[in-house]
């Protein structure tokens, strides 16, 4: 049954009035609630994965599929929020309001009304992916590039589609616009009537008065720009589909070199908005977007560059459809002369490499160029005699342009048409970029299978496709997830043993992703679909089959990996990527996913990992899952509550742990002794059995007492009085176990440990959580042991945080066999590190003991 939004809001309000404290629940009931969170989360993630898969192009879908899936997703995420609040005693009621706002936004998107809410003006630096409908294609791309530290994009702001709708309403043009949209939707509409309405709208917008608040917002936005005297702006169109999947090149009006005065800029804005109804735009619109009868326009206002040289760069040679060659076209002065073809230009060809290199130069005689006029606009001026036959770009500038074009192609995952300018100080600016539209080549596609047979296959049919597509580049094996973003080579194929949401920092640079362990419904797979990065997961042994820097091609459409760079596949990808994107349904689905799948809460240890940081459904699901795990972690720390009212039995172990067991279902084998102590072989819980296997591994458990000095002992006793862990774990060591779950809280001397793990067949449900605190020495030695534990855990791909003598580590979304192997390691680590702080006399010894553990020398004394 679906709950209506008003009833949901009322229910959330009533819940907020209730006291949040409830009677304590049994471990079994808590685990059942935890399972409900996992099930609801997985249902929602599977819907997101299915939506993302449809963007691959191999599946047909219609508007009803999008509407149905969106409503199912809204309901699934709501159930996840309800489940986590049931588990966590209503401590996360704020999630309901976030969900309500996001759901309203999604429904506005489905109804085609998402561009009518929001601010009238947004600076480039304020724009986020969720604002796409407000700022249009060009505005969205410029804002995205402004956030990229490798690019220089002139400052600016966007007069949003909300301002456009306000202008339409304020000037009583809504009825005409409604009729125009109806005529555009009718392929058999009367041409004369369409022309009359179009012309009336064009003239009406040209003469329109500014709607309330727009003039003030425009004035404020100009004054917020860096002070340059005098200020001139380039005022350009940013229609909703412009520069996204369709270029609209030259269709809308641009007004250049506009004085930074409110009246002048608003006059230019009206001209640009009116061009939405020009005859050329309407003709293009009906030709390429016949199913799209609605489209709003935003306007980009960008600081005008006083250009020495300007032009364009194509990241693929459109004449040869060569993936390996880029083309640069340039002229002295402003780039308007280049894109309009009104002046002679220099042409350069660059090889992509790596490294980028110059293949050819064709220098023309450039007699005339366009330059900024003093008052406004552009003026044609003669080029100085000595510059006419000189290349207007140096070799250094050409190579930098090539690198920037490659960076943009890697970032947007498609060939790019980039407009750029170099000012008189020699600074390169990117003015805009759009997908480069390439002609499909049926003959090449037909011949493709036979051409591919000659290339060496590394893998075929192994693993699973998480995101379709084709990518090629040198292999870069990421063995340490703490590797810095900047160290990842641009355009490389990311190869990693296990998927992780922390890989997000590399994806904008990656040509493709291959993992040995992973699932198509993991957070990383969802992010790959968002970034449009081809991704194969669960490709067993791939790291041993490739080498660092080796060129490979990933075909995540037919699930193949080739040795070398396969030119035919790359050209096929470039030429065919636009086909499905002409569909209105495709574009709507992509807008939905932008609001749903982006993950901002990547790391639970970051400060923004809270309800206020949840900006998408994916964030809500991530927060709910982590909150549920934390609730289960803390469940085992209240030992008095656990011991009272539960059947508690002692473990019979050959080591002195004193562990008491609470079985919440399936944790003990059917033939376990009905009474008395429990032997290790009677444990059926997969994660607890793995931990015990590690703790009982030969040589791990040091039975000889460590030599503790009087000073260390006194430090330990004083610190224990202040440690929260000491207050939580006094008396009993307790293991709450189920068939695929364990929560183990125990104290060994002055050492406090928590191990919480879910370890079952569904790898998306699996998690490992480990926390360690304490010691019998001074803080310096305890901190060194913390550093050693951190080094070891990072080798097993844990996300680790340390503070003083506290270690917190997390690992999730791993197969059951991998989880059990890692829990075995954690069991060994518990025994190995017990009392080891006594030996941490220097910083050098930290690395030595870490290496001893990793090499299996558990009895090492250094």
């Amino acid at each position: 049954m679906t709950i209506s939004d008003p009833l949901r809001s009322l229910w959330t309000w009533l819940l907020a009035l209730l006291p949040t404290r409830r009677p304590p629940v049994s471990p079994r009931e808590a685990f059942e609630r935890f399972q409900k969170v996992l099930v609801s989360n997985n249902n929602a993630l599977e819907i997101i994965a299915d939506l993302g898969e449809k963007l691959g192009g191999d599946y047909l879908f219609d508007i009803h599929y999008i509407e149905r899936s969106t409503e199912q997703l809204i309901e699934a995420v709501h159930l996840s929020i309800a489940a986590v609040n049931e588990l966590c005693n209503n401590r996360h009621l704020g999630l309901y309001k976030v969900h309500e706002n996001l759901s309203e936004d999604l429904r506005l998107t489905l109804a085609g009304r998402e561009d009518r809410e929001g601010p009238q003006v947004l600076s480039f630096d304020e724009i986020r992916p969720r604002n796409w409908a407000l700022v249009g294609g060009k505005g969205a791309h410029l804002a995205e590039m402004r956030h990229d530290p490798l690019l220089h994009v002139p400052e600016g702001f966007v007069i949003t589609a909300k301002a456009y709708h306000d202008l339409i309403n304020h000037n009583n043009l809504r009825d005409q616009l409604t009729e125009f949209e109806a005529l555009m939707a009718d392929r058999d509409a009367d041409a004369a009537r369409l022309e009359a309405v179009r012309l009336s709208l064009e003239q009406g917008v040209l003469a329109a008065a500014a709607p309330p608040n727009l003039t003030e917002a425009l004035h404020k936005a100009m004054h917020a720009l860096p002070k340059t005297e005098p200020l001139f702006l380039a005022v350009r169109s940013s229609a909703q589909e412009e520069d996204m999947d369709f270029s609209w090149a030259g269709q809308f009006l641009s007004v250049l070199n506009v004085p930074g005065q409110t009246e002048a800029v608003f006059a230019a804005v009206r001209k640009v908005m009116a061009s939405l109804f020009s005859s050329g735009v309407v003709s293009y619109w009906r030709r390429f977007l016949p199913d799209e009868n609605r489209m709003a326009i935003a306007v980009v206002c960008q600081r005008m560059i006083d250009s020495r040289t300007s032009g364009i760069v194509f990241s693929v040679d459109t004449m040869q459809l060569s993936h390996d060659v880029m083309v640069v076209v340039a002229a002295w002065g402003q780039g308007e002369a280049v894109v309009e073809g009104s002046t002679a230009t220099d042409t350069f060809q660059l090889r992509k490499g790596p490294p980028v290199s110059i293949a050819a130069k064709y220098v023309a005689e450039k007699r005339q160029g366009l330059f900024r006029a003093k008052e406004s606009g552009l003026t044609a001026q003669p080029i100085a005699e000595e510059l006419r036959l000189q290349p207007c770009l140096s070799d250094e500038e050409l190579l930098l342009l090539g690198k920037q074009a490659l960076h943009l192609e890697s970032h947007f995952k498609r060939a790019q048409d980039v407009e750029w300018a170099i000012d008189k100080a020699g600074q390169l600016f990117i003015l805009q970029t759009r997908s480069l539209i390439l002609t499909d080549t049926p003959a090449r596609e037909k011949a493709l299978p036979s051409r591919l047979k000659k290339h060496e296959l590394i893998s075929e049919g192994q693993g699973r496709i998480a995101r379709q597509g084709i990518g090629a580049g040198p292999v870069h094996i990421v063995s340490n997830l703490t590797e810095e973003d900047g160290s990842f080579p641009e355009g490389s194929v990311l190869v990693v043993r296990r998927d992780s949401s922390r890989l997000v920092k590399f994806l904008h640079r990656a040509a493709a992703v291959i993992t040995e362990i992973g699932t198509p419904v993991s957070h990383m797979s969802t992010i790959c679909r968002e970034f449009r990065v081809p991704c194969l997961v669960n490709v067993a042994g791939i790291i041993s089959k490739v080498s660092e820097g080796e060129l490979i091609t990933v075909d995540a459409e037919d699930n193949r990996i080739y040795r070398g760079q396969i030119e035919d596949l790359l050209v096929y990808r470039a030429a065919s990527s636009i086909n499905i994107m002409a569909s209105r349904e495709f574009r709507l689905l992509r807008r939905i996913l932008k609001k749903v799948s982006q993950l901002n809460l990547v790391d639970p240890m970051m400060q923004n990992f809270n309800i206020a940081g949840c900006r998408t459904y994916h964030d809500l699901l991530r927060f709910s899952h982590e909150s549920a795990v934390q609730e289960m972690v803390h469940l085992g720390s209240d030992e008095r509550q656990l011991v009272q009212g539960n059947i508690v039995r002692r473990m019979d172990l050959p080591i002195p742990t004193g562990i008491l067991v609470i079985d919440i279902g399936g944790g003990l084998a059917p033939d376990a002794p009905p009474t008395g102590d429990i032997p290790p072989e009677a444990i059926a819980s997969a994660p607890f059995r793995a931990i015990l296997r590690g703790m009982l591994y030969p040589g791990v458990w040091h039975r000889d007492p460590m030599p503790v000095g009087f000073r260390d002992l006194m430090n330990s006793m004083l610190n224990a009085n202040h440690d929260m862990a000491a207050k939580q774990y006094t008396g009993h060591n307790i293991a709450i176990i189920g068939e695929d779950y364990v929560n183990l809280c125990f104290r060994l001397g002055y050492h406090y440990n928590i191990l919480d793990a879910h370890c079952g067949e569904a790898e998306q449900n699996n998690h490992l959580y480990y926390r360690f605190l304490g010691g019998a020495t001074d803080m310096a030695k305890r901190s060194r042991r913390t550093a050693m534990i951190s080094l070891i855990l990072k080798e097993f791909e844990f996300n680790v945080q340390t503070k003083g003598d506290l270690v917190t580590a997390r690992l999730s979304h791993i197969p059951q066999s991998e989880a059990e192997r890692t829990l075995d390691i954690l069991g060994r680590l518990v025994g190995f590190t017990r009392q080891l702080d006594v030996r941490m006399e220097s910083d050098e010894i930290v690395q030595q003991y870490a290496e001893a553990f990793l090499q299996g020398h558990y009895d090492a004394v250094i």
Side-chain angles (χ1 to χ4, degrees):
M1 180 179 70
T2 301
I3 306 171
S4 67
D5 285 340
L7 285 177
R8 274 195 183 135
S9 299
L10 177 61
W11 176 242
T12 304
W13 179 76
L14 288 172
L15 280 175
L17 297 179
L18 296 175
T20 57
R21 294 301 302 166
R22 295 176 180 174
V25 298
S26 69
R28 183 188 295 270
E29 186 177 355
F31 184 69
E32 289 172 354
R33 294 179 181 181
F34 176 68
Q35 292 283 63
K36 285 172 66 176
V37 176
L38 296 182
V39 169
S40 56
N41 260 34
N42 288 337
N43 288 341
L45 287 170
E46 285 171 5
I47 294 171
I48 294 174
D50 189 65
L51 289 167
E53 195 173 29
K54 296 297 185 292
L55 289 183
D58 281 357
Y59 302 92
L60 296 175
F61 58 92
D62 58 14
I63 189 68
H64 301 297
Y65 163 79
I66 299 174
E67 292 171 343
R68 183 177 64 254
S69 297
T70 301
E71 289 300 329
Q72 289 173 347
L73 181 59
I74 289 171
E75 185 67 20
V77 176
H78 184 268
L79 289 174
S80 178
I81 292 170
V84 78
N85 274 290
E86 182 184 23
L87 172 65
C88 299
N89 209 11
N90 283 337
R91 287 197 304 277
H92 305 300
L93 292 176
L95 293 172
Y96 284 108
K97 185 61 178 176
V98 178
H99 176 267
E100 182 182 331
N101 292 339
L102 291 174
S103 301
E104 181 182 358
D105 191 31
L106 280 180
R107 289 181 172 127
L108 284 172
T109 302
L110 285 173
R113 298 177 62 86
E114 59 185 323
D115 55 1
R116 303 191 189 188
E117 301 291 335
Q120 292 179 325
V121 178
L122 281 170
S123 73
F124 288 168
D125 295 336
E126 291 174 318
I127 295 168
R128 296 295 181 267
R130 64 181 180 276
N131 303 129
W132 175 86
L134 279 175
V135 301
K138 185 180 282 124
H141 278 171
L142 285 169
E144 198 166 344
M145 291 189 293
R146 277 283 296 177
H147 297 146
D148 189 330
L150 297 180
L151 303 173
H152 283 92
V153 176
E155 305 86 352
F157 54 89
V158 177
I159 309 295
T160 68
K162 169 66 162 56
Y164 159 79
H165 283 293
D166 288 347
L167 182 143
I168 292 291
N169 293 334
H170 183 66
N171 291 275
N172 299 315
L173 297 172
R174 179 62 62 186
D175 290 345
Q176 290 183 54
L177 181 59
T178 301
E179 183 182 1
F180 174 78
E181 291 172 346
L183 290 166
M184 291 292 286
D186 183 2
R187 297 188 182 186
D188 299 321
D190 180 79
R193 183 58 188 163
L194 176 60
E195 173 62 17
V197 176
R198 176 202 70 74
L199 185 60
S200 178
L201 278 168
E202 185 179 28
Q203 293 172 344
V205 174
L206 281 171
N213 304 318
L214 179 58
T215 302
E216 293 82 354
L218 180 55
H219 180 78
K220 183 178 178 181
M222 283 193 292
H223 276 264
L225 293 176
K227 300 298 183 288
T228 57
E229 295 294 343
L231 174 65
F232 286 87
L233 297 174
V235 181
R236 302 170 183 260
S237 62
S238 185
Q240 286 176 337
E241 298 298 339
E242 186 180 2
D243 287 0
M244 298 298 280
D245 300 318
F246 300 91
S247 72
W248 295 87
Q251 300 304 307
F252 297 101
L253 183 68
S254 293
V255 186
L256 303 179
N257 206 36
V258 178
Q261 301 157 6
T262 304
E263 298 80 5
V265 174
F266 178 65
V269 167
R270 281 188 309 194
K271 291 178 182 179
V272 173
M273 286 185 174
S275 70
L276 178 64
F277 305 106
S278 70
S279 57
V281 166
V282 170
S283 175
Y284 186 103
W285 189 343
R286 300 203 87 189
R287 168 70 178 84
F288 290 100
L289 292 164
D291 298 325
E292 192 71 67
N293 66 311
R294 293 179 183 173
M295 186 164 60
I297 189 169
V299 179
V300 166
C301 300
Q302 190 174 25
R303 181 169 65 84
M304 188 80 184
I305 300 300
D306 191 7
S307 304
R308 183 209 77 199
T309 308
S310 304
I312 58 172
V313 53
F314 285 177
S315 68
V316 168
D317 187 344
T318 57
M319 300 301 294
Q320 305 175 34
L321 271 186
S322 172
H323 177 81
D324 190 48
V325 177
M326 297 181 285
V327 176
V328 178
V329 181
W332 298 116
Q334 296 292 326
E336 192 73 5
V338 177
V339 297
E340 293 297 334
S342 60
T343 188
T345 57
D346 294 342
T347 301
F348 309 90
Q349 289 182 318
L350 305 177
R351 293 189 188 90
K352 290 185 175 180
V356 174
S357 60
I358 300 170
K361 299 180 181 181
Y362 305 96
V363 179
E365 184 177 5
K366 302 169 287 296
R367 293 176 175 271
Q368 184 173 272
L370 275 181
F371 295 86
R372 288 174 50 181
K374 287 186 178 180
E375 300 296 328
S376 64
L378 304 179
T379 180
Q381 296 179 15
I383 302 298
E385 190 77 32
E386 66 274 14
L387 296 177
R388 292 181 179 180
L389 289 173
Q390 276 193 23
C392 55
L393 288 169
S394 68
D395 287 358
E396 292 77 11
E397 290 169 338
L398 274 171
L399 295 176
L400 177 59
L401 261 174
K403 291 174 183 176
Q404 299 256 299
L406 278 180
H407 176 70
L408 288 166
E409 183 181 77
S410 174
H411 180 86
F412 289 108
K413 310 307 176 192
R414 288 171 62 184
Q416 293 294 297
D417 169 359
V418 184
E419 187 175 328
W420 53 269
I422 297 176
D423 68 11
K424 292 177 180 177
Q427 176 64 60
L428 170 64
F429 290 91
I430 303 299
L431 304 181
Q432 67 179 55
T433 190
R434 60 168 69 98
S435 296
L436 184 57
I437 309 302
L438 303 172
T439 305
D440 201 356
T441 51
R444 181 182 292 271
E445 184 176 344
K446 185 176 180 180
L448 194 58
S450 59
R451 289 171 179 251
L452 293 177
K453 288 181 180 178
K454 65 182 181 182
H455 297 289
E456 180 184 352
L457 276 168
I458 300 173
S459 167
E460 181 175 18
Q462 294 186 34
R464 300 179 66 186
I465 297 172
R467 204 283 174 183
Q468 292 184 321
I470 297 167
V475 168
H476 182 64
I477 300 171
V478 175
S479 55
N480 187 349
L481 293 180
T482 61
E483 184 177 320
E484 292 297 324
D485 174 14
S487 66
F488 187 89
E490 187 89 52
S492 294
V493 176
L494 192 163
V495 180
V496 65
R497 201 175 74 84
R498 188 184 66 80
D499 77 7
S500 168
S501 59
R502 287 188 290 160
L503 294 169
V504 64
K505 60 187 175 183
F506 304 129
L507 293 185
H508 66 288
R509 293 171 169 266
V513 175
I514 313 171
T515 77
E516 290 192 335
I517 298 168
T519 168
V521 298
S522 70
H523 292 303
M524 187 212 72
S525 296
T526 300
I527 299 169
C528 280
R529 288 188 286 272
E530 176 196 343
F531 277 82
R532 297 193 289 188
V533 179
C535 179
L536 297 176
V537 297
N538 267 358
V539 183
I542 185 62
I543 292 177
S544 65
K545 297 176 183 177
V546 297
S547 56
E548 181 73 19
E550 176 188 7
L551 276 175
I552 65 171
T553 299
V554 179
D555 180 356
E557 294 184 2
D558 291 331
N559 198 355
R560 295 188 180 117
I561 303 172
Y562 294 89
R563 211 171 294 282
Q565 182 167 289
I566 313 303
E567 188 75 16
D568 288 310
L569 274 176
L570 298 174
V571 171
Y572 161 73
R573 174 197 66 178
S576 61
S577 62
I578 191 67
N579 294 342
I580 187 176
M581 298 176 190
S583 145
R584 174 175 175 265
E585 290 79 8
F586 179 93
R587 297 192 306 277
L588 175 60
L589 178 55
R590 188 178 59 192
R591 293 205 296 271
I592 292 288
L593 279 171
K594 274 184 177 289
K595 298 172 182 291
V596 163
S597 64
Q598 183 180 11
L599 183 62
N600 302 290
L601 303 188
V602 176
D603 188 346
M605 298 179 183
M606 300 298 287
Q607 287 186 344
N608 73 330
F609 202 95
N610 51 42
I611 293 177
C614 293
R615 298 175 182 173
T616 66
Y617 276 176
H618 200 173
D619 290 334
L620 290 175
L621 296 170
R622 183 83 167 93
F623 182 85
S624 296
H625 181 269
E626 181 63 23
S627 299
V629 170
Q630 288 300 314
E631 187 70 13
M632 297 305 292
V633 168
H634 293 304
L635 175 68
S637 64
D638 192 346
E639 59 182 57
R640 293 178 180 88
Q641 176 188 322
L642 290 173
V643 172
Q644 294 172 5
N646 290 293
I647 299 175
V648 180
R649 298 177 62 185
R650 184 177 298 276
M651 285 292 303
D652 180 14
L653 296 173
I655 53 177
T657 61
I659 295 175
L660 304 178
V661 170
I662 299 174
D663 183 14
I664 59 175
L668 295 178
D671 57 354
T675 59
D677 292 351
I678 305 169
E681 56 270 19
I683 298 297
S685 169
F688 188 40
R689 194 170 58 241
I691 292 170
L692 291 175
R693 187 165 57 246
M695 292 174 67
L696 297 174
Y697 192 85
V700 163
W701 200 268
H702 301 289
R703 297 180 182 275
D704 296 332
M706 292 284 186
V708 181
F710 177 76
R711 182 178 176 182
D712 285 336
L713 184 59
M714 291 302 298
N715 269 314
S716 151
M717 293 173 66
L718 289 171
N719 288 330
N721 291 328
H722 299 288
D723 285 340
M724 181 60 68
K727 298 174 184 178
Q728 291 177 334
Y729 311 124
T730 55
H732 302 289
N733 295 331
I734 298 175
I736 304 168
I737 61 173
E739 181 181 1
D740 50 13
Y741 177 75
V742 63
N743 179 290
L744 176 59
C745 296
F746 63 110
R747 185 180 89 170
L748 300 171
Y750 292 104
H751 309 84
Y752 309 100
N753 298 265
I754 296 179
L755 274 165
D756 188 275
H758 190 279
C759 176
E761 293 182 1
E763 60 189 77
Q764 64 268 28
N765 291 343
N766 292 341
H767 75 263
L768 311 181
Y769 176 97
Y770 176 62
R771 190 167 75 183
F772 177 89
L773 175 70
T777 59
D778 61 54
M779 181 56 76
K781 292 181 180 178
R782 292 156 64 183
S783 296
R784 289 187 189 116
R785 178 173 53 182
T786 295
M788 181 204 69
I789 293 173
S790 176
L791 286 173
I792 293 170
L793 291 173
K794 286 177 180 178
E795 285 295 317
F796 293 95
E797 301 177 354
F798 277 88
N799 186 7
V800 183
Q801 186 178 50
T802 61
K803 184 177 181 180
D805 60 346
L806 171 66
V807 182
T808 306
R810 294 170 171 87
L811 190 60
S812 59
H813 297 93
I814 54 176
Q816 182 173 10
S817 59
E818 183 77 3
E820 291 184 21
R821 184 181 76 90
T822 308
L823 287 168
D824 182 319
I825 296 296
L826 287 177
R828 302 183 195 193
L829 188 63
V830 167
F832 179 77
T833 57
R834 186 176 65 96
Q835 299 182 359
L836 197 61
D837 52 327
V838 173
R839 299 193 183 278
M840 295 286 135
E841 298 288 351
S842 67
D843 293 339
E844 291 74 21
I845 211 167
V846 170
Q847 184 70 42
Q848 295 172 19
Y849 267 109
E851 290 175 358
F853 179 87
L854 294 170
Q855 294 169 9
H857 301 154
Y858 304 122
D859 55 354
V861 177
I862 297 170

